[in-house]
Amino acid sequence: MGQRTLSGLAKAFKRDRATFQQAIDPQEAFRLGTSLGQQGDVEGARSAYQQAIDSGHAEHAPAAGFHLGLLLGQHDDIDGAREAYRQAANSAHPEYGPTAARNLGHLYKRQGRGRQAIAAYQVAIDSGHPDVAPWAMLYLGNLFRHLGNLADARASYQSAVDSGHQKAGPRAARHLADLP
């Protein structure tokens, strides 16, 4: 879909959201959410992304949840971002599910909700995603270190090292070496 067509969709959406939402498919809703978000229309983007999420489409619902989480997080709607990430993390999508779980862990950590952050990072780790899981291991180690749980921090860092990930592994090794 061209930029010109997306611009037309955005204008039509703004004129008559209710009618437009009934006629748009999940892929178009996702694309529209992205376009509206880039134009700074956060509420329009939220509505379009939510339509894609509500569709339950295996590809576009998790993508919309992840991107809505990013958008809302950038606009300090932490509760909205958390819910959008949660929906994407609970999907079976091989990319958006683990990545949303990792981002959900970050949100929980920023809010001082350690137990929930640990659980979210663990979902990302358990996914076995070749890139997201090692980073989640590193972030989990950082969280455990912050919480004063050095034994679990050590185990998480070691898991990241053992993953062989080219970037997360060496960083985890440095953190591991810095532990008392």
PDB file of all heavy atoms in Angstrom, residues 138 141-142 145 157 168-180:
ATOM      1  N   LEU A 138      20.034 -11.396  30.292  1.00  0.00           N
ATOM      2  CA  LEU A 138      20.885 -10.310  30.776  1.00  0.00           C
ATOM      3  C   LEU A 138      20.075  -9.329  31.623  1.00  0.00           C
ATOM      4  O   LEU A 138      20.484  -8.959  32.730  1.00  0.00           O
ATOM      5  CB  LEU A 138      21.520  -9.581  29.588  1.00  0.00           C
ATOM      6  CG  LEU A 138      22.297  -8.312  29.917  1.00  0.00           C
ATOM      7  CD1 LEU A 138      23.555  -8.632  30.706  1.00  0.00           C
ATOM      8  CD2 LEU A 138      22.634  -7.570  28.635  1.00  0.00           C
ATOM      9  N   GLY A 141      19.204 -10.770  34.911  1.00  0.00           N
ATOM     10  CA  GLY A 141      20.378 -10.693  35.792  1.00  0.00           C
ATOM     11  C   GLY A 141      20.530  -9.309  36.393  1.00  0.00           C
ATOM     12  O   GLY A 141      20.807  -9.163  37.592  1.00  0.00           O
ATOM     13  N   ASN A 142      20.346  -8.282  35.566  1.00  0.00           N
ATOM     14  CA  ASN A 142      20.437  -6.902  36.075  1.00  0.00           C
ATOM     15  C   ASN A 142      19.387  -6.645  37.148  1.00  0.00           C
ATOM     16  O   ASN A 142      19.670  -5.998  38.162  1.00  0.00           O
ATOM     17  CB  ASN A 142      20.241  -5.902  34.930  1.00  0.00           C
ATOM     18  CG  ASN A 142      21.396  -5.882  33.967  1.00  0.00           C
ATOM     19  OD1 ASN A 142      22.491  -6.352  34.256  1.00  0.00           O
ATOM     20  ND2 ASN A 142      21.148  -5.341  32.781  1.00  0.00           N
ATOM     21  N   ARG A 145      20.358  -8.436  40.334  1.00  0.00           N
ATOM     22  CA  ARG A 145      21.455  -7.706  40.984  1.00  0.00           C
ATOM     23  C   ARG A 145      20.902  -6.483  41.702  1.00  0.00           C
ATOM     24  O   ARG A 145      21.252  -6.219  42.861  1.00  0.00           O
ATOM     25  CB  ARG A 145      22.505  -7.302  39.950  1.00  0.00           C
ATOM     26  CG  ARG A 145      23.728  -6.657  40.601  1.00  0.00           C
ATOM     27  CD  ARG A 145      24.740  -6.177  39.588  1.00  0.00           C
ATOM     28  NE  ARG A 145      24.152  -5.052  38.875  1.00  0.00           N
ATOM     29  CZ  ARG A 145      24.358  -4.792  37.598  1.00  0.00           C
ATOM     30  NH1 ARG A 145      25.121  -5.562  36.864  1.00  0.00           N
ATOM     31  NH2 ARG A 145      23.790  -3.750  37.030  1.00  0.00           N
ATOM     32  N   TYR A 157      23.066 -14.235  34.386  1.00  0.00           N
ATOM     33  CA  TYR A 157      24.191 -13.800  33.561  1.00  0.00           C
ATOM     34  C   TYR A 157      24.874 -15.000  32.901  1.00  0.00           C
ATOM     35  O   TYR A 157      25.223 -14.955  31.721  1.00  0.00           O
ATOM     36  CB  TYR A 157      25.213 -13.026  34.387  1.00  0.00           C
ATOM     37  CG  TYR A 157      24.770 -11.652  34.816  1.00  0.00           C
ATOM     38  CD1 TYR A 157      25.137 -11.149  36.061  1.00  0.00           C
ATOM     39  CD2 TYR A 157      24.001 -10.829  33.990  1.00  0.00           C
ATOM     40  CE1 TYR A 157      24.767  -9.879  36.470  1.00  0.00           C
ATOM     41  CE2 TYR A 157      23.617  -9.559  34.391  1.00  0.00           C
ATOM     42  CZ  TYR A 157      24.005  -9.090  35.640  1.00  0.00           C
ATOM     43  OH  TYR A 157      23.629  -7.836  36.036  1.00  0.00           O
ATOM     44  N   ALA A 168      24.786 -10.015  23.738  1.00  0.00           N
ATOM     45  CA  ALA A 168      24.320 -10.165  25.118  1.00  0.00           C
ATOM     46  C   ALA A 168      25.291 -11.015  25.933  1.00  0.00           C
ATOM     47  O   ALA A 168      25.512 -10.740  27.121  1.00  0.00           O
ATOM     48  CB  ALA A 168      22.924 -10.775  25.151  1.00  0.00           C
ATOM     49  N   GLY A 169      25.886 -12.037  25.312  1.00  0.00           N
ATOM     50  CA  GLY A 169      26.805 -12.924  26.032  1.00  0.00           C
ATOM     51  C   GLY A 169      28.005 -12.200  26.611  1.00  0.00           C
ATOM     52  O   GLY A 169      28.267 -12.296  27.820  1.00  0.00           O
ATOM     53  N   PRO A 170      28.774 -11.452  25.802  1.00  0.00           N
ATOM     54  CA  PRO A 170      29.923 -10.728  26.349  1.00  0.00           C
ATOM     55  C   PRO A 170      29.548  -9.672  27.391  1.00  0.00           C
ATOM     56  O   PRO A 170      30.259  -9.476  28.374  1.00  0.00           O
ATOM     57  CB  PRO A 170      30.553 -10.074  25.112  1.00  0.00           C
ATOM     58  CG  PRO A 170      30.131 -10.931  23.973  1.00  0.00           C
ATOM     59  CD  PRO A 170      28.756 -11.427  24.335  1.00  0.00           C
ATOM     60  N   ARG A 171      28.422  -9.023  27.173  1.00  0.00           N
ATOM     61  CA  ARG A 171      27.985  -8.028  28.165  1.00  0.00           C
ATOM     62  C   ARG A 171      27.660  -8.713  29.485  1.00  0.00           C
ATOM     63  O   ARG A 171      28.024  -8.232  30.567  1.00  0.00           O
ATOM     64  CB  ARG A 171      26.769  -7.264  27.637  1.00  0.00           C
ATOM     65  CG  ARG A 171      26.432  -6.082  28.516  1.00  0.00           C
ATOM     66  CD  ARG A 171      25.330  -5.244  27.955  1.00  0.00           C
ATOM     67  NE  ARG A 171      25.770  -4.559  26.749  1.00  0.00           N
ATOM     68  CZ  ARG A 171      24.988  -3.735  26.049  1.00  0.00           C
ATOM     69  NH1 ARG A 171      23.746  -3.516  26.435  1.00  0.00           N
ATOM     70  NH2 ARG A 171      25.440  -3.147  24.978  1.00  0.00           N
ATOM     71  N   ALA A 172      26.966  -9.859  29.404  1.00  0.00           N
ATOM     72  CA  ALA A 172      26.648 -10.613  30.616  1.00  0.00           C
ATOM     73  C   ALA A 172      27.930 -11.094  31.294  1.00  0.00           C
ATOM     74  O   ALA A 172      28.018 -11.095  32.528  1.00  0.00           O
ATOM     75  CB  ALA A 172      25.739 -11.796  30.278  1.00  0.00           C
ATOM     76  N   ALA A 173      28.933 -11.479  30.505  1.00  0.00           N
ATOM     77  CA  ALA A 173      30.209 -11.931  31.076  1.00  0.00           C
ATOM     78  C   ALA A 173      30.869 -10.799  31.867  1.00  0.00           C
ATOM     79  O   ALA A 173      31.435 -11.042  32.955  1.00  0.00           O
ATOM     80  CB  ALA A 173      31.133 -12.428  29.971  1.00  0.00           C
ATOM     81  N   ARG A 174      30.801  -9.580  31.353  1.00  0.00           N
ATOM     82  CA  ARG A 174      31.364  -8.433  32.093  1.00  0.00           C
ATOM     83  C   ARG A 174      30.620  -8.215  33.406  1.00  0.00           C
ATOM     84  O   ARG A 174      31.230  -7.973  34.452  1.00  0.00           O
ATOM     85  CB  ARG A 174      31.318  -7.170  31.227  1.00  0.00           C
ATOM     86  CG  ARG A 174      32.354  -7.169  30.119  1.00  0.00           C
ATOM     87  CD  ARG A 174      32.480  -5.807  29.447  1.00  0.00           C
ATOM     88  NE  ARG A 174      31.265  -5.346  28.805  1.00  0.00           N
ATOM     89  CZ  ARG A 174      30.870  -5.682  27.579  1.00  0.00           C
ATOM     90  NH1 ARG A 174      31.602  -6.511  26.867  1.00  0.00           N
ATOM     91  NH2 ARG A 174      29.750  -5.190  27.068  1.00  0.00           N
ATOM     92  N   HIS A 175      29.285  -8.312  33.352  1.00  0.00           N
ATOM     93  CA  HIS A 175      28.495  -8.142  34.587  1.00  0.00           C
ATOM     94  C   HIS A 175      28.794  -9.261  35.576  1.00  0.00           C
ATOM     95  O   HIS A 175      28.884  -9.020  36.781  1.00  0.00           O
ATOM     96  CB  HIS A 175      26.988  -8.123  34.279  1.00  0.00           C
ATOM     97  CG  HIS A 175      26.522  -6.871  33.614  1.00  0.00           C
ATOM     98  ND1 HIS A 175      26.754  -5.611  34.100  1.00  0.00           N
ATOM     99  CD2 HIS A 175      25.806  -6.696  32.472  1.00  0.00           C
ATOM    100  CE1 HIS A 175      26.213  -4.706  33.303  1.00  0.00           C
ATOM    101  NE2 HIS A 175      25.637  -5.347  32.293  1.00  0.00           N
ATOM    102  N   LEU A 176      28.950 -10.440  35.049  1.00  0.00           N
ATOM    103  CA  LEU A 176      29.267 -11.608  35.893  1.00  0.00           C
ATOM    104  C   LEU A 176      30.600 -11.398  36.601  1.00  0.00           C
ATOM    105  O   LEU A 176      30.726 -11.657  37.808  1.00  0.00           O
ATOM    106  CB  LEU A 176      29.305 -12.857  35.013  1.00  0.00           C
ATOM    107  CG  LEU A 176      29.310 -14.209  35.674  1.00  0.00           C
ATOM    108  CD1 LEU A 176      28.104 -14.403  36.581  1.00  0.00           C
ATOM    109  CD2 LEU A 176      29.302 -15.302  34.593  1.00  0.00           C
ATOM    110  N   ALA A 177      31.587 -10.887  35.879  1.00  0.00           N
ATOM    111  CA  ALA A 177      32.907 -10.638  36.455  1.00  0.00           C
ATOM    112  C   ALA A 177      32.868  -9.549  37.509  1.00  0.00           C
ATOM    113  O   ALA A 177      33.696  -9.528  38.439  1.00  0.00           O
ATOM    114  CB  ALA A 177      33.902 -10.269  35.354  1.00  0.00           C
ATOM    115  N   ASP A 178      31.910  -8.634  37.407  1.00  0.00           N
ATOM    116  CA  ASP A 178      31.793  -7.524  38.353  1.00  0.00           C
ATOM    117  C   ASP A 178      31.053  -7.878  39.636  1.00  0.00           C
ATOM    118  O   ASP A 178      31.056  -7.094  40.586  1.00  0.00           O
ATOM    119  CB  ASP A 178      31.088  -6.334  37.697  1.00  0.00           C
ATOM    120  CG  ASP A 178      31.943  -5.646  36.647  1.00  0.00           C
ATOM    121  OD1 ASP A 178      33.175  -5.837  36.651  1.00  0.00           O
ATOM    122  OD2 ASP A 178      31.357  -4.938  35.800  1.00  0.00           O
ATOM    123  N   LEU A 179      30.404  -9.055  39.652  1.00  0.00           N
ATOM    124  CA  LEU A 179      29.680  -9.435  40.859  1.00  0.00           C
ATOM    125  C   LEU A 179      30.661  -9.788  41.972  1.00  0.00           C
ATOM    126  O   LEU A 179      31.716 -10.370  41.718  1.00  0.00           O
ATOM    127  CB  LEU A 179      28.765 -10.642  40.584  1.00  0.00           C
ATOM    128  CG  LEU A 179      27.515 -10.385  39.766  1.00  0.00           C
ATOM    129  CD1 LEU A 179      26.775 -11.689  39.529  1.00  0.00           C
ATOM    130  CD2 LEU A 179      26.605  -9.384  40.452  1.00  0.00           C
ATOM    131  N   PRO A 180      30.287  -9.457  43.202  1.00  0.00           N
ATOM    132  CA  PRO A 180      31.182  -9.823  44.331  1.00  0.00           C
ATOM    133  C   PRO A 180      31.215 -11.328  44.562  1.00  0.00           C
ATOM    134  O   PRO A 180      30.365 -12.071  44.203  1.00  0.00           O
ATOM    135  CB  PRO A 180      30.547  -9.107  45.531  1.00  0.00           C
ATOM    136  CG  PRO A 180      29.214  -8.615  45.104  1.00  0.00           C
ATOM    137  CD  PRO A 180      29.134  -8.727  43.629  1.00  0.00           C
TER     138      PRO A 180
END
